[in-house]
Amino acid sequence: MEKEQQKKKYAAIIVAIIILLLLILLLLLLFMKKEYKVTFDSNGGSEVEAVTVKENDKLEKPEDPTREGYTFGGWYYNEELYDFELPVKQDMTLEAGWAVEGAATTPVSGVSLSVTSLKLTEGGEDALVAVVEPENATNQKLIWTTSDASIVTVDEYGNVKALKAGTATVTVTTEDGNYTATCEITVEKKQEEEGKKEVAVTGVKISGAQTVTVGSSIRLTATVSPSNATNKSVTWSSSNKAVATVDRYGNVKGIKAGTATITVKTSNGKTASYKVTVKAKQASNTKPGTVKVTSVKISGAKDLTVGQSLKLTATVSPSNASNKKVTWKSSNPSVATVDGNGNVKAVSAGTVTITVTTADGAKTASVTITVKETYSYEWVEIKESSADQYMLYIINSKKQHVSGTATLTSIGGTSKTISIPASGAMFVRSTIKSVSNVKGN
């Protein structure tokens, strides 16, 4: 009997151990992250080894591959530049993008940030999203810097961290063209929580743009109530990640055309939702490899007198732009005209603006030209007189009599500048050798 009880006791212990092991195994399965394999297709470039990444971890960016005669343009997934800040959720293959060295490229024309000012508390973090223009620019590499690393730091992806109270400016600069955008970050001192009564969150609301284009980003802001709530931390989620994703800071990125509901949730369960519409990119008429026009300038401008002409020259940048066609326009053709080749002709006195516009991108440049009046003179015989008397008139380009001055040289060689009224001045013409320096008032 005693042996039988001892057997039952051992059996119970064994069963308990088995159950405990099963529970431990179950917990390990629940908490152990899956692992995904990420491979790199260098498309003819140097080999890049595959890596294994745990679920929801970020993929570490590998060293850029090299390929003779080509410039590396980044890693792409589903034909879009891969964001190494995204969590890995599946096996995937990233493909290298290449541009032929010396081939036509699309230059960067500008860059902007999702926010231009930001407030953080000591120890707080955020992410700045930069958008390079145009979206098909060949070189989209960015350089991030901070004006004071003791206050705010920034990494190569635009992630910022507040270290101490103060103000610092984070700048993003495009490698192509050195275009910049800035965000002023104010870091406030962290308030001591000890001894303070906890203030519960009563609500939250979302503000920000409601539309975003595929490939672009917008920033949504969560405002927690009351303003003195103790815990203002929130989490963000998207109802349709295939249409729009949202990061932990409220940066929403358009993935494909459609609608998605962005929800923010406070630490105590209060929520707010916001409908975001993602619009498709406008169809582009730009062929791959086309070099876009970035600017135009005019040379050869100068002031004219009525009847004169000049040739203006339009210089389109960059010098290897694919479409250098331009059109010319005069702001006042009654003062000066301009033809399709930039030839300007002065018509009448006044001021005129000549503008050139590029066919690609509608870039413009203008010059202002002053057209000065031309003056001449005429002799009109006084027929009633028998003593070789003539009236001397100053006339403008419209053949009108005007007042002015002229230098008269006599037969004897004496020169004198005199004023002549619009009604003219009378002279014995045979005594005047020449008339010069005719000017109108």
Side-chain angles (χ1 to χ4, degrees):
M1 184 75 176
E2 194 174 317
K3 285 184 178 180
E4 193 174 330
Q5 286 180 344
Q6 199 169 11
K7 284 181 182 180
K8 288 181 179 180
K9 184 179 178 182
Y10 288 146
I13 291 172
I14 291 170
V15 170
I17 291 172
I18 292 172
I19 293 172
L20 182 60
L21 289 172
L22 288 172
L23 285 172
I24 291 172
L25 182 60
L26 182 61
L27 287 172
L28 285 172
L29 290 172
L30 286 173
F31 290 100
M32 187 170 62
K33 288 184 176 181
K34 292 182 181 178
E35 290 187 339
Y36 296 109
K37 186 177 182 180
V38 180
T39 55
F40 299 91
D41 182 356
S42 60
N43 284 326
S46 57
E47 186 177 347
V48 178
E49 290 186 4
V51 295
T52 300
V53 184
K54 290 184 178 180
E55 186 177 24
N56 291 323
D57 283 357
K58 295 176 185 177
L59 171 63
E60 185 176 344
K61 187 178 179 183
E63 281 192 22
D64 293 347
T66 58
R67 183 180 177 188
E68 188 174 353
Y70 291 82
T71 301
F72 179 64
W75 291 106
Y76 287 77
Y77 183 64
N78 289 338
E79 297 185 355
E80 286 196 2
L81 194 65
Y82 183 72
D83 183 356
F84 284 87
E85 284 299 296
L86 295 175
V88 175
K89 295 182 178 293
Q90 60 187 359
D91 293 333
M92 59 184 179
T93 298
L94 301 186
E95 296 184 356
W98 299 99
V100 179
E101 289 181 356
T105 58
T106 301
V108 171
S109 61
V111 65
S112 60
L113 285 172
S114 52
V115 289
T116 55
S117 62
L118 196 62
K119 284 187 178 181
L120 294 174
T121 305
E122 287 178 326
E125 297 179 356
D126 211 316
L128 300 179
V129 178
V131 178
V132 175
E133 295 293 341
E135 61 187 29
N136 66 332
T138 304
N139 183 357
Q140 300 209 8
K141 289 184 179 179
L142 300 171
I143 302 162
W144 295 88
T145 56
T146 175
S147 63
D148 193 335
S150 68
I151 295 174
V152 173
T153 60
V154 61
D155 67 14
E156 61 180 312
Y157 304 110
N159 297 310
V160 295
K161 185 172 183 179
L163 302 182
K164 69 176 184 180
T167 302
T169 300
V170 170
T171 301
V172 62
T173 304
T174 63
E175 186 177 79
D176 175 15
N178 290 320
Y179 292 95
T180 62
T182 60
C183 178
E184 186 178 90
I185 300 178
T186 302
V187 180
E188 298 175 343
K189 195 167 184 62
K190 193 171 185 179
Q191 299 296 320
E192 296 294 335
E193 300 294 333
E194 190 175 341
K196 291 183 69 176
K197 184 178 179 182
E198 184 171 336
V199 179
V201 172
T202 58
V204 63
K205 63 180 181 179
I206 301 174
S207 59
Q210 290 183 298
T211 59
V212 63
T213 306
V214 171
S216 296
S217 297
I218 56 173
R219 178 64 170 257
L220 298 182
T221 301
T223 303
V224 174
S225 297
S227 59
N228 63 336
T230 304
N231 187 352
K232 291 186 178 182
S233 61
V234 296
T235 55
W236 295 87
S237 61
S238 169
S239 65
N240 192 344
K241 293 179 182 178
V243 171
T245 60
V246 60
D247 67 14
R248 57 178 173 154
Y249 306 111
N251 293 306
V252 177
K253 183 177 181 179
I255 305 300
K256 73 174 184 178
T259 59
T261 300
I262 305 299
T263 301
V264 66
K265 185 177 182 180
T266 66
S267 58
N268 66 345
K270 305 294 182 182
T271 62
S273 295
Y274 205 72
K275 186 178 180 181
V276 171
T277 300
V278 179
K279 294 184 177 180
K281 295 177 184 177
Q282 290 186 347
S284 174
N285 295 321
T286 303
K287 295 178 181 179
T290 296
V291 179
K292 300 283 287 179
V293 171
T294 58
S295 65
V296 64
K297 64 180 180 179
I298 299 173
S299 58
K302 64 179 182 179
D303 290 345
L304 299 172
T305 56
V306 174
Q308 285 186 320
S309 298
L310 64 79
K311 167 79 171 178
L312 295 179
T313 301
T315 303
V316 175
S317 294
S319 59
N320 64 334
S322 300
N323 183 357
K324 292 187 176 182
K325 290 182 180 180
V326 297
T327 55
W328 294 89
K329 184 178 180 181
S330 168
S331 65
N332 192 346
S334 65
V335 173
T337 60
V338 62
D339 67 14
N341 297 314
N343 296 306
V344 178
K345 184 174 182 179
V347 177
S348 64
T351 301
V352 64
T353 299
I354 305 297
T355 301
V356 66
T357 304
T358 63
D360 175 18
K363 308 295 182 182
T364 62
S366 299
V367 291
T368 299
I369 295 174
T370 299
V371 178
K372 298 176 182 178
E373 184 62 273
T374 55
Y375 298 97
S376 59
Y377 67 93
E378 66 175 351
W379 290 103
V380 178
E381 183 181 5
I382 302 175
K383 294 182 179 181
E384 293 80 4
S385 172
S386 58
D388 192 28
Q389 290 182 324
Y390 282 76
M391 294 296 294
L392 176 62
Y393 295 98
I394 294 177
I395 57 175
N396 61 18
S397 59
K398 296 178 181 178
K399 304 301 181 183
Q400 297 170 326
H401 292 172
V402 296
S403 61
T405 61
T407 300
L408 276 63
T409 303
S410 68
I411 294 296
T414 303
S415 297
K416 186 178 181 180
T417 299
I418 63 171
S419 295
I420 299 176
S423 56
M426 186 173 66
F427 296 93
V428 176
R429 186 172 180 180
S430 59
T431 64
I432 306 299
K433 181 180 180 180
S434 64
V435 181
S436 60
N437 298 325
V438 179
K439 297 178 182 179
N441 291 333

PDB file of all heavy atoms in Angstrom, residues 95-110:
ATOM      1  N   GLU A  95      16.217  45.412 -53.981  1.00  0.00           N
ATOM      2  CA  GLU A  95      16.949  45.499 -55.234  1.00  0.00           C
ATOM      3  C   GLU A  95      17.714  46.814 -55.313  1.00  0.00           C
ATOM      4  O   GLU A  95      17.202  47.866 -54.933  1.00  0.00           O
ATOM      5  CB  GLU A  95      15.999  45.386 -56.425  1.00  0.00           C
ATOM      6  CG  GLU A  95      15.310  44.037 -56.515  1.00  0.00           C
ATOM      7  CD  GLU A  95      14.456  43.921 -57.760  1.00  0.00           C
ATOM      8  OE1 GLU A  95      14.347  44.914 -58.506  1.00  0.00           O
ATOM      9  OE2 GLU A  95      13.889  42.848 -58.000  1.00  0.00           O
ATOM     10  N   ALA A  96      18.934  46.735 -55.827  1.00  0.00           N
ATOM     11  CA  ALA A  96      19.773  47.933 -55.972  1.00  0.00           C
ATOM     12  C   ALA A  96      19.320  48.739 -57.190  1.00  0.00           C
ATOM     13  O   ALA A  96      18.998  48.174 -58.235  1.00  0.00           O
ATOM     14  CB  ALA A  96      21.239  47.537 -56.124  1.00  0.00           C
ATOM     15  N   GLY A  97      19.298  50.067 -57.023  1.00  0.00           N
ATOM     16  CA  GLY A  97      19.002  50.960 -58.139  1.00  0.00           C
ATOM     17  C   GLY A  97      20.302  51.571 -58.629  1.00  0.00           C
ATOM     18  O   GLY A  97      21.167  51.950 -57.834  1.00  0.00           O
ATOM     19  N   TRP A  98      20.455  51.653 -59.929  1.00  0.00           N
ATOM     20  CA  TRP A  98      21.706  52.171 -60.509  1.00  0.00           C
ATOM     21  C   TRP A  98      21.415  53.233 -61.551  1.00  0.00           C
ATOM     22  O   TRP A  98      20.395  53.193 -62.234  1.00  0.00           O
ATOM     23  CB  TRP A  98      22.502  51.047 -61.177  1.00  0.00           C
ATOM     24  CG  TRP A  98      22.929  49.951 -60.253  1.00  0.00           C
ATOM     25  CD1 TRP A  98      22.321  48.738 -60.087  1.00  0.00           C
ATOM     26  CD2 TRP A  98      24.038  49.966 -59.353  1.00  0.00           C
ATOM     27  NE1 TRP A  98      22.980  47.995 -59.145  1.00  0.00           N
ATOM     28  CE2 TRP A  98      24.046  48.717 -58.681  1.00  0.00           C
ATOM     29  CE3 TRP A  98      25.024  50.893 -59.058  1.00  0.00           C
ATOM     30  CZ2 TRP A  98      25.001  48.392 -57.733  1.00  0.00           C
ATOM     31  CZ3 TRP A  98      25.985  50.576 -58.116  1.00  0.00           C
ATOM     32  CH2 TRP A  98      25.984  49.334 -57.463  1.00  0.00           C
ATOM     33  N   ALA A  99      22.318  54.206 -61.678  1.00  0.00           N
ATOM     34  CA  ALA A  99      22.271  55.198 -62.751  1.00  0.00           C
ATOM     35  C   ALA A  99      23.599  55.152 -63.486  1.00  0.00           C
ATOM     36  O   ALA A  99      24.661  55.084 -62.864  1.00  0.00           O
ATOM     37  CB  ALA A  99      22.034  56.591 -62.188  1.00  0.00           C
ATOM     38  N   VAL A 100      23.520  55.156 -64.812  1.00  0.00           N
ATOM     39  CA  VAL A 100      24.745  55.110 -65.612  1.00  0.00           C
ATOM     40  C   VAL A 100      25.525  56.391 -65.399  1.00  0.00           C
ATOM     41  O   VAL A 100      24.986  57.489 -65.490  1.00  0.00           O
ATOM     42  CB  VAL A 100      24.422  54.936 -67.113  1.00  0.00           C
ATOM     43  CG1 VAL A 100      25.713  54.909 -67.939  1.00  0.00           C
ATOM     44  CG2 VAL A 100      23.621  53.673 -67.337  1.00  0.00           C
ATOM     45  N   GLU A 101      26.816  56.261 -65.083  1.00  0.00           N
ATOM     46  CA  GLU A 101      27.648  57.435 -64.874  1.00  0.00           C
ATOM     47  C   GLU A 101      27.739  58.227 -66.179  1.00  0.00           C
ATOM     48  O   GLU A 101      28.019  57.684 -67.236  1.00  0.00           O
ATOM     49  CB  GLU A 101      29.055  57.034 -64.424  1.00  0.00           C
ATOM     50  CG  GLU A 101      29.091  56.500 -63.003  1.00  0.00           C
ATOM     51  CD  GLU A 101      30.492  56.122 -62.557  1.00  0.00           C
ATOM     52  OE1 GLU A 101      31.405  56.211 -63.394  1.00  0.00           O
ATOM     53  OE2 GLU A 101      30.660  55.737 -61.391  1.00  0.00           O
ATOM     54  N   GLY A 102      27.467  59.551 -66.069  1.00  0.00           N
ATOM     55  CA  GLY A 102      27.524  60.415 -67.245  1.00  0.00           C
ATOM     56  C   GLY A 102      26.224  60.435 -68.023  1.00  0.00           C
ATOM     57  O   GLY A 102      26.072  61.220 -68.954  1.00  0.00           O
ATOM     58  N   ALA A 103      25.263  59.549 -67.663  1.00  0.00           N
ATOM     59  CA  ALA A 103      23.990  59.542 -68.376  1.00  0.00           C
ATOM     60  C   ALA A 103      23.105  60.667 -67.855  1.00  0.00           C
ATOM     61  O   ALA A 103      23.365  61.274 -66.828  1.00  0.00           O
ATOM     62  CB  ALA A 103      23.289  58.199 -68.175  1.00  0.00           C
ATOM     63  N   ALA A 104      22.036  60.946 -68.607  1.00  0.00           N
ATOM     64  CA  ALA A 104      21.101  62.004 -68.204  1.00  0.00           C
ATOM     65  C   ALA A 104      20.481  61.669 -66.859  1.00  0.00           C
ATOM     66  O   ALA A 104      20.115  60.529 -66.592  1.00  0.00           O
ATOM     67  CB  ALA A 104      20.003  62.137 -69.250  1.00  0.00           C
ATOM     68  N   THR A 105      20.399  62.640 -65.986  1.00  0.00           N
ATOM     69  CA  THR A 105      19.820  62.447 -64.663  1.00  0.00           C
ATOM     70  C   THR A 105      18.783  63.518 -64.402  1.00  0.00           C
ATOM     71  O   THR A 105      18.737  64.537 -65.077  1.00  0.00           O
ATOM     72  CB  THR A 105      20.894  62.525 -63.567  1.00  0.00           C
ATOM     73  OG1 THR A 105      21.546  63.803 -63.662  1.00  0.00           O
ATOM     74  CG2 THR A 105      21.927  61.426 -63.739  1.00  0.00           C
ATOM     75  N   THR A 106      17.949  63.277 -63.393  1.00  0.00           N
ATOM     76  CA  THR A 106      16.961  64.274 -62.995  1.00  0.00           C
ATOM     77  C   THR A 106      17.463  64.966 -61.740  1.00  0.00           C
ATOM     78  O   THR A 106      17.566  64.332 -60.681  1.00  0.00           O
ATOM     79  CB  THR A 106      15.592  63.609 -62.714  1.00  0.00           C
ATOM     80  OG1 THR A 106      15.158  62.929 -63.898  1.00  0.00           O
ATOM     81  CG2 THR A 106      14.559  64.660 -62.327  1.00  0.00           C
ATOM     82  N   PRO A 107      17.812  66.251 -61.808  1.00  0.00           N
ATOM     83  CA  PRO A 107      18.385  66.937 -60.651  1.00  0.00           C
ATOM     84  C   PRO A 107      17.345  67.262 -59.589  1.00  0.00           C
ATOM     85  O   PRO A 107      16.149  67.383 -59.882  1.00  0.00           O
ATOM     86  CB  PRO A 107      18.968  68.225 -61.250  1.00  0.00           C
ATOM     87  CG  PRO A 107      18.114  68.480 -62.450  1.00  0.00           C
ATOM     88  CD  PRO A 107      17.744  67.129 -62.996  1.00  0.00           C
ATOM     89  N   VAL A 108      17.807  67.390 -58.368  1.00  0.00           N
ATOM     90  CA  VAL A 108      16.951  67.809 -57.257  1.00  0.00           C
ATOM     91  C   VAL A 108      16.639  69.304 -57.406  1.00  0.00           C
ATOM     92  O   VAL A 108      17.515  70.095 -57.773  1.00  0.00           O
ATOM     93  CB  VAL A 108      17.661  67.551 -55.904  1.00  0.00           C
ATOM     94  CG1 VAL A 108      16.873  68.172 -54.758  1.00  0.00           C
ATOM     95  CG2 VAL A 108      17.826  66.052 -55.691  1.00  0.00           C
ATOM     96  N   SER A 109      15.395  69.686 -57.136  1.00  0.00           N
ATOM     97  CA  SER A 109      15.014  71.103 -57.225  1.00  0.00           C
ATOM     98  C   SER A 109      14.656  71.690 -55.867  1.00  0.00           C
ATOM     99  O   SER A 109      14.440  72.892 -55.740  1.00  0.00           O
ATOM    100  CB  SER A 109      13.834  71.273 -58.186  1.00  0.00           C
ATOM    101  OG  SER A 109      12.701  70.542 -57.728  1.00  0.00           O
ATOM    102  N   GLY A 110      14.588  70.858 -54.821  1.00  0.00           N
ATOM    103  CA  GLY A 110      14.261  71.378 -53.494  1.00  0.00           C
ATOM    104  C   GLY A 110      13.997  70.264 -52.498  1.00  0.00           C
ATOM    105  O   GLY A 110      13.958  69.081 -52.861  1.00  0.00           O
TER     106      GLY A 110
END
